[in-house]
Amino acid sequence: WYQRRVHGDDISRVHARFASEVPCASILGIYRINNPRLATVYGAVRNSMDGEERELWHGTSRGCARNIVLNGFNRTYCGRHGTKFGQGTYFSRLAGYSVRFCDKQQRRQIIFLAKVLVGTWVVGSSDMIEPPYRDETEMQRYDSTTDSLENPAVFCVFRDYQAFPLYLVEFS
């Protein structure tokens, strides 16, 4: 479900981005995720939404990595590291922030770079089980919550297929 790529501009780009954001880390491997089934479902969700799509980081434990690669991000795991902006799955534009949620007990740690449909966002709060309405008359909700309207660094998404894992970075 994932393949290691020794060469390629995409791997070089991910390597450079992670290395610049977490300079103290030693990159052990970068793997491109290849899951056509997940890509199809993510594409359908993308086609149903308006708004932005971003590449964001998601730190996790080694034990969760296989499940994410095979089945995508699952918000039923929410709350393991808090629910500051809502009860969903968290992503950050800053790898240095996301590595805080990797399993520190393991020498080899895992972080994902994912496509995330952030859409339209609002500042979140810990009691949110879904984003609030942006238009109550039309019953349209915001697509995600965040830490800041003007310069968001952290996003919380509430639908499982609102994010798609692109790369797995293994580091120490």
Side-chain angles (χ1 to χ4, degrees), residues 81-98:
H81 300 288
T83 57
K84 189 173 183 178
F85 305 113
Q87 297 174 30
T89 304
Y90 283 73
F91 299 88
S92 176
R93 68 178 162 85
L94 307 168
Y97 179 85
S98 290

Side-chain angles (χ1 to χ4, degrees), residues 59-128:
T60 191
S61 67
R62 190 169 200 73
C64 291
R66 178 176 164 78
N67 193 45
I68 291 171
V69 169
L70 295 176
N71 302 304
F73 298 96
N74 185 338
R75 65 192 159 97
T76 58
Y77 290 99
C78 84
R80 295 177 85 181
H81 300 288
T83 57
K84 189 173 183 178
F85 305 113
Q87 297 174 30
T89 304
Y90 283 73
F91 299 88
S92 176
R93 68 178 162 85
L94 307 168
Y97 179 85
S98 290
V99 299
R100 295 172 34 195
F101 305 101
C102 298
D103 187 352
K104 305 276 189 288
Q105 304 297 318
Q106 299 291 316
R107 189 178 74 74
R108 293 172 166 256
Q109 297 177 337
I110 301 292
I111 191 170
F112 284 93
L113 183 60
K115 280 187 186 178
V116 183
L117 297 165
V118 295
T120 57
W121 59 82
V122 65
V123 173
S125 64
S126 62
D127 61 331
M128 293 180 174

Side-chain angles (χ1 to χ4, degrees), residues 49-54 116-121 143 155:
M49 289 178 62
D50 296 325
E52 276 190 61
E53 177 182 58
R54 295 189 179 194
V116 183
L117 297 165
V118 295
T120 57
W121 59 82
D143 299 302
F155 288 91

